[in-house]
Amino acid sequence: MAKADSTTKPTSASNKVSFTAGRVAAFKCPEGKKDAFLWDDKQPGLGLRAFASGKKTYIYQVWVNGRTQRAVIGPVESFDIEQARAEASKLGALASQNISPAKVKREKAAAELAEEQEVKRGSVTFGTVWAEYVDANKGDWGQKHYRDHLNFVQAPGKPLARGKDSKTGQPLVTKAGCLYPLVSVKLGELTATVIKRWLDNENKTRPGVAAQSYRLLFACLSWCNEQPDYAGLVDVVALKSKAVKKTVTKLKPRDDVLQREQLPAFFAELLKISNPVIAAYVQTLLLTGARRNELMGLQWSDVDFKWQSMAIRDKGTSKGSVAGVRVIPLTPYVASLLNQLPRRNQWVFSSPSGKDGRLVDPRKSFDPAVIAAGIEGLTLHGLRRSFATLSEWVEVPAGVVAQIMGHKPSATAEKHYKQRPLDLLRVWHERIEAWFLEQAGLVVPAAGEQRLTVVKGA
């Protein structure tokens, strides 16, 4: 409904008739005008508005609170004459109480919205919202993070593309994702009790995955509340009850780290990895202390072989969703590793099977190498922890290590007074690399080929 146009001419006998089906059908907007009005002399205020486009609607016009106001009843195709008169009569009764058509429209729209939300609350499932959430945000995620979201809601019993059961010889099938039990739950039925029951069940077999799923679940629900179509359908605060929070497994922080005496076996097994990209990636991860996803995102344009530097898109210096960049030295051994890699595309650590052409998950080669080296429980992130820990053997200033790794300064002097140039970082970083290689018994010939040799004192 819209307020009346103050320029509308008052009705007159010349354009007032008793509405009939024939008169309504015959009434048209005169050529050269944008619209025209015809008024019913049987029901006061009821009018017919014809547009130049040929569209015709029933309207109601009335004087309320010192102003002419107009309401759209609806198109002539949706109302017959008697229905239009009945609707006009209702609006007239309200107008006699100084209730304007505009107020009627607002109240009707609010009631319709509330009814629509109740319908959604009773029919929209978590699985529907999850699919929309993933589709809306996948452009901002890495490939692994996106794949994790798909795996968390995957249905059980779907045949996998590769692999067979060692006992039956049958193709392997998927297991139910951790969030799969909630996929068919309607949003209106998603209560704190339901979430606690789900957590209790998942904690029996996979508490760590359940804790991660819990965080992703509420990230999705928070996004849901920000969408016009779903706003108000769930109360995120109420769902995070004390009982629910207590059910979430508190994971102990990992402390896996390489020991100095483990370096020879570790490097020996890495050099046996048949995939040179994965072998180079894991070694670079250890010798730079970078985060795994930072290094996976390294592009050839980020590597400067002439001036021996690498530009890392830095999570630690990011602001909002815009990542910062830190420039670190390209040390001799790492340079030799990267120089030998195939240049298939823009990614340094590329993969022909990766969705966007880059390495996604090196653990299929990394985990067996770690087991063969006799090192239990070492993770890819543990290599970052190892860089920070083992660098102390070279007595490197803590601030240098933090700057190379992309950690935020932890002291006032580091934050405000020390700005180390790349060449100063290079002095220390090359010492760190040389120490690692010496402990591992690994040297790099002039040609850049890798080989294991016994270094005196290693």
Side-chain angles (χ1 to χ4, degrees):
M1 300 178 185
K3 290 186 177 181
D5 185 344
S6 60
T7 63
T8 301
K9 294 181 179 179
T11 60
S12 65
S14 61
N15 62 348
K16 287 185 70 176
V17 298
S18 179
F19 282 179
T20 64
R23 287 170 177 166
V24 169
F27 182 65
K28 296 181 180 180
C29 177
E31 190 174 348
K33 292 188 175 182
K34 67 176 183 178
D35 57 7
F37 297 86
L38 185 67
W39 303 96
D40 184 25
D41 64 2
K42 184 174 181 181
Q43 174 60 53
L46 176 62
L48 180 64
R49 186 178 187 181
F51 295 88
S53 64
K55 177 183 175 182
K56 287 184 280 190
T57 59
Y58 287 112
I59 62 171
Y60 178 74
Q61 186 167 293
V62 67
W63 185 269
V64 179
N65 296 325
R67 297 182 65 184
T68 299
Q69 297 194 18
R70 183 186 303 156
V72 176
I73 294 175
V76 295
E77 295 83 3
S78 303
F79 293 83
D80 62 28
I81 295 173
E82 292 307 316
Q83 288 174 327
R85 284 172 175 162
E87 189 66 23
S89 178
K90 292 179 185 178
L91 294 173
L94 294 171
S96 66
Q97 303 172 40
N98 291 325
I99 300 175
S100 69
K103 184 177 180 181
V104 174
K105 176 185 176 181
R106 289 194 299 270
E107 292 177 348
K108 183 178 179 181
E112 289 175 348
L113 178 61
E115 183 179 357
E116 182 181 353
Q117 285 191 326
E118 285 304 313
V119 171
K120 285 183 178 180
R121 193 185 303 275
S123 61
V124 175
T125 64
F126 169 70
T128 299
V129 171
W130 179 267
E132 293 184 18
Y133 165 68
V134 171
D135 188 61
N137 293 279
K138 62 183 180 182
D140 299 325
W141 296 340
Q143 187 176 349
K144 183 180 182 303
H145 193 59
Y146 170 63
R147 189 180 61 189
D148 286 344
H149 278 75
L150 298 183
N151 290 341
F152 276 130
V153 294
Q154 73 179 3
K158 302 288 184 180
L160 293 171
R162 291 178 291 183
K164 291 185 178 182
D165 189 290
S166 59
K167 295 181 179 179
T168 64
Q170 297 297 316
L172 296 176
V173 296
T174 59
K175 295 181 180 179
C178 199
L179 287 171
Y180 179 74
L182 300 178
V183 165
S184 60
V185 177
K186 297 175 182 178
L187 286 185
E189 299 172 357
L190 193 61
T191 63
T193 301
V194 171
I195 293 177
K196 183 180 183 305
R197 188 184 308 124
W198 161 73
L199 278 171
D200 284 334
N201 187 59
E202 295 298 328
N203 282 340
K204 295 175 184 177
T205 55
R206 43 186 176 183
V209 178
Q212 183 183 2
S213 299
Y214 168 83
R215 293 191 291 271
L216 297 184
L217 166 66
F218 278 94
C220 173
L221 295 180
S222 297
W223 173 89
C224 174
N225 265 344
E226 296 172 355
Q227 309 311 306
D229 288 345
Y230 301 120
L233 293 188
V234 291
D235 187 341
V236 175
V237 175
L239 293 182
K240 282 189 174 182
S241 64
K242 289 184 178 179
V244 169
K245 290 179 179 179
K246 285 182 179 180
T247 309
V248 180
T249 302
K250 303 297 187 294
L251 302 178
K252 295 181 179 179
R254 289 184 178 272
D255 57 2
D256 54 306
V257 63
L258 275 169
Q259 302 299 322
R260 181 175 69 96
E261 59 272 17
Q262 294 173 329
L263 288 174
F266 179 71
F267 272 93
E269 293 302 327
L270 288 186
L271 294 181
K272 294 178 184 178
I273 294 176
S274 59
N275 187 325
V277 175
I278 293 179
Y281 171 79
V282 175
Q283 292 177 83
T284 305
L285 204 59
L286 173 62
L287 295 172
T288 61
R291 300 174 181 89
R292 53 179 297 180
N293 288 331
E294 289 177 346
L295 208 54
M296 284 180 183
L298 188 68
Q299 301 183 32
W300 288 113
S301 58
D302 300 325
V303 182
D304 190 333
F305 288 99
K306 180 179 179 180
W307 299 109
Q308 296 87 47
S309 67
M310 288 196 302
I312 305 289
R313 287 167 177 80
D314 191 343
K315 173 185 176 182
T317 60
S318 64
K319 295 181 179 180
S321 60
V322 180
V325 174
R326 72 177 185 275
V327 179
I328 66 172
L330 178 62
T331 49
Y333 182 68
V334 170
S336 73
L337 293 174
L338 303 190
N339 251 327
Q340 298 174 59
L341 296 180
R343 301 202 179 196
R344 301 185 182 100
N345 49 39
Q346 76 270 33
W347 307 109
V348 173
F349 301 104
S350 61
S351 171
S353 60
K355 184 177 180 181
D356 58 0
R358 63 174 169 171
L359 186 64
V360 176
D361 191 358
R363 290 177 298 179
K364 61 184 179 182
S365 298
F366 172 75
D367 290 343
V370 169
I371 293 173
I375 305 169
E376 296 295 331
L378 182 65
T379 63
L380 288 169
H381 191 75
L383 299 181
R384 176 171 165 85
R385 194 177 294 111
S386 300
F387 177 84
T389 303
L390 294 174
S391 293
E392 293 190 355
W393 283 90
V394 195
E395 299 181 349
V396 182
V400 171
V401 175
Q403 190 170 334
I404 293 173
M405 295 178 65
H407 278 154
K408 292 183 178 180
S410 58
T412 301
E414 287 289 336
K415 186 174 183 180
H416 298 290
Y417 296 98
K418 293 186 179 179
Q419 300 293 328
R420 299 179 185 86
L422 183 63
D423 284 345
L424 180 55
L425 292 180
R426 190 187 320 282
V427 170
W428 288 108
H429 201 171
E430 290 185 358
R431 288 184 190 179
I432 295 171
E433 180 181 87
W435 182 87
F436 271 98
L437 299 180
E438 180 183 356
Q439 302 307 309
L442 184 64
V443 296
V444 184
E449 296 178 355
Q450 303 172 35
R451 72 167 182 262
L452 277 174
T453 62
V454 178
V455 177
K456 188 175 181 180

